[in-house]
């Protein structure tokens, strides 16, 4: 079931309070149109009832797609700073819904689902697109790390993220989101073969791949964000 609730928000354009139907959980099996809206970058966009300008809510919902085996906790972009806590929270929700205590049918369903945590719309859209393209998200993050070796001038930091945005023929298109990246360098094409080469030699990436897989937050950004769980404990 997809759940929405009416929320009062302050319009970022005029500052007046306006109401919007905010999603709390989305079932893509029943509402493929909403999944498509995420891919189209239109989901959770609303027009202000005062000034008419449109704006987009930060995401904060659970996403279920049993058909594709995806379950994603999608949090607001800024919450990436609490990614360890968010991953724990997602784990608890997942366990509650699909763990052994949830009943046989739910538990069986849970075993067919890959759980992920994402922050912000570009990361959410990327997980859906990667699935459509049969691209493994761990190998995709390794590809980004490989690309970054050649881009020492990109100011990496929280809120600066590299996302798969499109695929055409033998090319993948990646784009930078966030501050500090010059416009001329925001979009890049990468040969699909480079991704396939990483998949073919994934053993050579084992340590980093293990680090990416160690929580449902499969994102190279966590490798740049300290402190880790041990340091934080
Ligand atoms: Zn307004």
């Amino acid at each position: 079931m997809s759940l929405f609730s009416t929320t009062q928000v302050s319009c970022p354009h005029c500052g007046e309070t306006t109401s919007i139907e905010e999603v709390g959980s989305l079932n893509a099996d029943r509402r493929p149109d909403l999944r498509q809206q995420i891919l189209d970058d239109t989901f959770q966009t609303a027009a202000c009832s005062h000034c008419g300008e449109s704006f987009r809510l930060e995401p904060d919902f659970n996403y279920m797609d049993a058909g594709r085996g995806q379950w994603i906790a999608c949090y607001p972009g800024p919450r990436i700073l609490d990614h360890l806590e968010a991953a724990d929270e997602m784990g608890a929700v997942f366990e509650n819904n699909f763990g052994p205590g949830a009943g046989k049918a739910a538990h069986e369903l849970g075993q067919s689902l890959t759980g992920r945590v994402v922050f912000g719309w570009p990361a959410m859209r990327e997980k859906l697109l990667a699935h459509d393209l049969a691209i493994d998200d761990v190998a995709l993050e390794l590809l980004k790390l490989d690309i970054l070796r050649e881009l020492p001038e990109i100011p990496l930091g929280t809120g600066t993220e590299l996302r798969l945005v499109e695929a055409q023929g033998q090319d993948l298109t990646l784009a930078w989101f966030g501050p500090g990246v010059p416009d001329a360098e925001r979009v890049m094409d990468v040969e699909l073969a480079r991704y396939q080469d990483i998949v073919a030699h994934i053993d050579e990436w084992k340590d980093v791949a293990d680090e990416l897989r160690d929580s449902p937050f499969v994102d190279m950004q966590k490798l740049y964000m300290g402190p880790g769980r041990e340091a934080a404990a």
Side-chain angles (χ1 to χ4, degrees):
M1 202 157 77
S2 298
L3 294 173
F4 287 83
S5 59
T6 305
T7 310
Q8 305 293 320
V9 294
S10 157
C11 168
H13 300 284
C14 71
E16 294 286 337
T17 300
T18 188
S19 60
I20 181 167
E21 290 297 307
E22 183 177 20
V23 71
S25 74
L26 192 167
N27 185 313
D29 301 291
R30 296 186 190 172
R31 294 296 305 272
D33 57 317
L34 300 181
R35 178 181 190 274
Q36 189 58 47
Q37 285 180 22
I38 296 173
L39 288 165
D40 293 343
D41 278 330
T42 57
F43 189 52
Q44 294 280 269
T45 299
C48 171
S49 58
H50 295 273
C51 70
E53 294 282 336
S54 64
F55 62 95
R56 195 173 192 190
L57 280 186
E58 277 287 335
D60 196 357
F61 65 103
N62 295 328
Y63 174 94
M64 167 73 162
D65 189 339
R68 293 180 179 82
Q70 288 187 297
W71 195 93
I72 302 171
C74 183
Y75 293 114
R79 217 190 149 189
I80 195 167
L81 294 168
D82 297 324
H83 70 92
L84 294 175
E85 188 189 283
D88 285 349
E89 192 179 299
M90 174 272 174
V93 174
F94 193 87
E95 182 69 16
N96 198 33
N97 284 313
F98 306 110
K104 191 164 180 286
H107 186 47
E108 273 177 21
L109 172 59
Q111 289 178 321
S112 70
L113 298 172
T114 300
R116 291 288 185 257
V117 170
V118 299
F119 301 90
W121 292 116
M124 180 64 189
R125 182 180 184 276
E126 180 184 63
K127 293 294 184 199
L128 306 191
L129 179 65
H131 187 281
D132 281 350
L133 298 169
I135 283 182
D136 172 70
D137 63 348
V138 172
L140 175 59
E141 297 305 305
L142 295 174
L143 172 66
K144 294 177 193 174
L145 289 165
D146 198 37
I147 291 168
L148 281 174
R149 292 181 189 175
E150 297 161 11
L151 298 169
E153 71 278 13
I154 295 291
L156 279 175
T158 306
T160 300
E161 46 188 322
L162 182 61
R163 299 292 169 200
L164 174 67
V165 292
E166 201 186 334
Q168 276 200 340
Q170 292 304 304
D171 281 328
L172 300 174
T173 304
L174 286 86
W176 287 99
F177 293 83
V181 181
D183 281 347
E185 294 172 38
R186 277 203 179 264
V187 178
M188 70 180 85
D189 284 338
V190 179
E191 285 181 16
L192 180 63
R194 188 163 168 182
Y195 162 80
Q196 291 165 334
D197 191 58
I198 288 173
V199 172
H201 300 96
I202 197 113
D203 288 353
E204 294 167 22
W205 293 84
K206 187 180 181 307
D207 290 349
V208 188
D210 286 350
E211 224 175 314
L212 287 166
R213 283 193 199 97
D214 77 355
S215 82
F217 179 41
V218 175
D219 190 313
M220 64 144 184
Q221 286 189 97
K222 74 179 173 185
L223 307 180
Y224 293 93
M225 293 168 56
R229 190 176 295 273
E230 295 78 12

